[in-house]
Amino acid sequence: MVNNIRKMSVVLTSIMTIGVLLAGCSAKTESPSSTSTAKTAVTQKPEELKPVKLVWYLRSAEPKNVAAVMQKANEIINDKIKATVEFKYVAPADYDKKMQLVMSSGEEYDIAFTASWVNNYLNNVSKGAYIPLDDLLVRYPDLTKMFKKEIWDAVRVNGKTYGVPNNQIMGDQPGMWLKKDLVDKYKIDLNKVKSLEDLTPVFQTIKDGEPGISAVRDGNGINVAYKDTVSLVVDTFVLDTKTWKVYNQFEQLAPQFKLMREWYQKGFFPQDVATLKDELSLIKAGKVFSRYSRQKPGNEADLKSSYGFDVVPLVTGPSVISKSAVTSTLNAISTTSKNPDRAMMLINLIDTNKELFNLLKFGIEGQDYTKVSANRIEPKPNAYTVPGWLFGNEFNSFVVPGQADDVWEQTKKLNDSSLIDPTISFNFDRTNVENEVAQLTAITTEFRPILINGLDDPDKMMKLYSDKRKAAGQDKVLAEIQKQVDEWRKTQK
């Protein structure tokens, strides 16, 4: 297996952090008083608690055998915290739109998956969608000690914590996966790939030799592969931590956009690259050779489980723990929740109870998987499965075929050795430029799929993009970010 790990200076900010600004969230900004009830809830015995039903939104298709799994899971949850939970599964392609509707309607729910790249965490916090969790978290030392101070710093907004990170790979290491059978068939030497341009002949080989197979899924990741290190602030504004100057990253990506135009014209992407919703079916059918993918120990096994074939990793940069990496998998408690204390108890329970976590991730032994050893399983075909990083502590996960026995030890080692983004505790307060940020984000949403997938002439599109951004107040937002960065730096020791 090719392992093309090498030292490079690259951007580690994920492209997917450029999300759609959520609009019209009408949830109340006031949070419930939780300190006293949290103390009571933690000290009470389960039988002394009033039974409650919790609702949790997840960005996942509904898994098979879900009824049997949830029946067993709720038996455990009821026994421990006198509660049951209903997971509301929303197809990934629909999750952003669905959560906007949920929040704007004021619907009562308890917990939702939120992130830097989908159901945008910072946007939702600014709209008052989530309650501060600090008073609740203090009651759960096992949970709070799960992360170092810098991790919690990355989650805080204006000094308050609104989301709980899911314990998993925190180091953000960019790269790609490629289908191993085709890498082997064409004797592709990935050690020779040292830039995005070096992938052009590789993709051309696949295009020429494998009709009907797209060489690459899309242009995602072009801003993080083989690039100088910067930190994402908001939208496409990044901060160069060498000069501490803020700029619009898209304006520095002209060579990458031109390369994506070349790839599009050569037919490397699927025809509907920018509008394709069900990429999973296409990938599982073997119709895609490669895709951008965050790298981590055991990634190949996870992808094989999802796609049904072996992959080869291509690492395109070192591992960095950034704000966007930490906030890439969070769960937050809604301001509409009637039982925030119990919701916090449930998050803590799933993070600390290995049996419950693996039940919710892999399903039921015998029905959905076969137990091979104390911590290793073999999932059955067409069985229950939900990604564990959506809801809990991956370090409690069983090991699956293709993963090393010490995969979670390797993951911890990578986390511990990752560079910490020096801006991880910086939070941009968009209050003074809220309208401008909303307009700029909408413009990014309009132009991003065109630029990263090469759908039109990049020079023409960048001129239109820049003109629209200037008219929407880009200079004002840039100046506001720079001002806040300069003030924040004065407070750093």
Side-chain angles (χ1 to χ4, degrees):
M1 181 175 293
V2 179
N3 189 9
N4 190 27
I5 300 178
R6 55 191 178 274
K7 293 183 179 180
M8 312 171 188
S9 179
V10 298
V11 180
L12 264 293
T13 311
S14 169
I15 192 76
M16 291 184 292
T17 55
I18 305 172
V20 179
L21 186 69
L22 299 181
C25 179
S26 63
K28 296 180 180 179
T29 57
E30 300 85 11
S31 62
S33 177
S34 56
T35 306
S36 60
T37 52
K39 292 179 180 179
T40 303
V42 172
T43 56
Q44 279 182 315
K45 296 178 181 179
E47 60 268 20
E48 297 173 345
L49 296 170
K50 178 183 177 181
V52 299
K53 177 182 177 181
L54 303 172
V55 172
W56 190 329
Y57 274 97
L58 281 184
R59 182 185 178 272
S60 171
E62 183 172 302
K64 296 182 179 180
N65 302 329
V66 65
V69 173
M70 289 312 302
Q71 179 178 345
K72 188 169 184 178
N74 276 323
E75 289 174 1
I76 297 173
I77 295 168
N78 184 63
D79 180 63
K80 298 293 185 181
I81 64 170
K82 206 66 173 182
T84 57
V85 61
E86 176 190 358
F87 284 110
K88 291 198 173 184
Y89 303 97
V90 181
D94 300 326
Y95 193 69
D96 259 327
K97 183 179 292 185
K98 175 63 176 178
M99 291 314 300
Q100 289 182 52
L101 292 173
V102 168
M103 290 182 288
S104 64
S105 70
E107 176 184 325
E108 290 183 11
Y109 73 98
D110 299 285
I111 307 170
F113 178 78
T114 179
S116 54
W117 54 276
V118 70
N119 192 29
N120 191 274
Y121 172 66
L122 292 178
N123 290 352
N124 294 347
V125 170
S126 72
K127 295 293 184 180
Y130 307 136
I131 67 168
L133 302 177
D134 304 272
D135 288 345
L136 290 168
L137 282 168
V138 75
R139 310 305 303 167
Y140 302 96
D142 289 341
L143 181 58
T144 54
K145 291 177 182 177
M146 202 172 286
F147 306 107
K148 62 179 74 174
K149 176 182 179 296
E150 290 85 355
I151 302 301
W152 287 112
D153 286 345
V155 177
R156 292 192 182 95
V157 181
N158 296 326
K160 295 183 179 181
T161 308
Y162 293 87
V164 178
N166 295 328
N167 197 15
Q168 51 137 7
I169 177 71
M170 290 289 180
D172 195 348
Q173 188 166 41
M176 303 180 72
W177 60 255
L178 305 93
K179 288 193 83 232
K180 187 177 186 300
D181 60 341
L182 296 181
V183 171
D184 293 343
K185 178 179 178 179
Y186 293 100
K187 297 180 173 57
I188 297 171
D189 184 0
L190 293 180
N191 289 307
K192 294 181 179 179
V193 178
K194 302 182 184 301
S195 68
L196 286 172
E197 289 78 6
D198 290 340
L199 285 167
T200 301
V202 173
F203 293 159
Q204 190 66 57
T205 296
I206 300 302
K207 172 67 176 176
D208 294 341
E210 301 292 332
I213 294 181
S214 297
V216 59
R217 162 62 182 98
D218 54 26
N220 266 335
I222 63 169
N223 72 322
V224 297
Y226 310 103
K227 295 291 293 176
D228 292 333
T229 303
V230 295
S231 300
L232 180 71
V233 179
V234 67
D235 185 54
T236 55
F237 292 104
V238 295
L239 175 64
D240 185 331
T241 55
K242 295 177 182 177
T243 64
W244 295 103
K245 296 301 180 184
V246 181
Y247 62 91
N248 177 4
Q249 189 184 38
F250 271 27
E251 294 174 354
Q252 304 294 319
L253 291 176
Q256 286 74 25
F257 292 148
K258 289 180 179 179
L259 181 62
M260 294 306 104
R261 178 62 173 168
E262 177 186 339
W263 286 6
Y264 177 79
Q265 290 177 321
K266 288 179 178 292
F268 291 169
F269 299 131
Q271 287 186 342
D272 55 348
V273 56
T275 57
L276 177 63
K277 289 188 175 182
D278 186 14
E279 72 166 29
L280 181 60
S281 295
L282 193 69
I283 293 172
K284 290 176 74 171
K287 299 299 184 181
V288 175
F289 169 64
S290 67
R291 187 190 189 281
Y292 174 79
S293 175
R294 183 179 178 185
Q295 303 297 294
K296 63 178 181 177
N299 199 36
E300 297 97 307
D302 289 346
L303 292 173
K304 183 175 183 178
S305 175
S306 297
Y307 301 150
F309 53 77
D310 291 315
V311 302
V312 175
L314 174 64
V315 175
T316 62
S319 181
V320 176
I321 298 180
S322 62
K323 181 183 292 291
S324 60
V326 174
T327 58
S328 66
T329 57
L330 303 169
N331 280 290
I333 298 177
S334 172
T335 52
T336 63
S337 172
K338 297 293 187 182
N339 298 285
D341 300 331
R342 207 72 61 88
M344 188 71 250
M345 292 176 76
L346 177 60
I347 292 173
N348 178 73
L349 179 64
I350 293 176
D351 272 333
T352 56
N353 187 301
K354 184 172 182 176
E355 177 189 7
L356 178 59
F357 173 79
N358 281 295
L359 175 63
L360 292 172
K361 180 177 180 179
F362 295 112
I364 299 171
E365 181 180 0
Q367 171 183 279
D368 302 294
Y369 64 85
T370 301
K371 198 81 173 289
V372 176
S373 63
N375 202 47
R376 181 173 288 279
I377 66 168
E378 290 187 1
K380 294 187 174 184
N382 300 314
Y384 173 99
T385 181
V386 175
W389 50 264
L390 284 172
F391 58 83
N393 180 6
E394 284 277 61
F395 290 88
N396 279 333
S397 179
F398 289 142
V399 178
V400 298
Q403 288 182 330
D405 288 336
D406 64 345
V407 62
W408 300 115
E409 288 77 7
Q410 291 180 38
T411 304
K412 184 179 186 304
K413 184 177 179 180
L414 180 63
N415 282 349
D416 292 342
S417 63
S418 295
L419 301 172
I420 300 291
D421 185 333
T423 68
I424 198 166
S425 65
F426 173 70
N427 285 293
F428 173 55
D429 182 357
R430 66 185 75 192
T431 303
N432 295 335
V433 288
E434 186 69 59
N435 291 335
E436 289 82 1
V437 169
Q439 292 180 61
L440 294 173
T441 302
I443 294 169
T444 297
T445 301
E446 177 187 356
F447 281 86
R448 175 180 172 272
I450 299 172
L451 290 166
I452 70 167
N453 297 310
L455 302 185
D456 205 337
D457 177 71
D459 291 333
K460 179 183 73 174
M461 299 312 297
M462 275 303 298
K463 177 67 166 58
L464 292 172
Y465 168 80
S466 297
D467 288 348
K468 276 196 170 186
R469 299 268 299 187
K470 188 173 184 62
Q474 173 170 290
D475 291 344
K476 179 180 179 182
V477 175
L478 192 152
E480 180 66 24
I481 298 173
Q482 190 68 62
K483 174 186 174 183
Q484 292 186 29
V485 167
D486 294 342
E487 292 175 349
W488 169 79
R489 287 188 66 205
K490 295 177 183 177
T491 68
Q492 303 304 295
K493 294 182 181 180

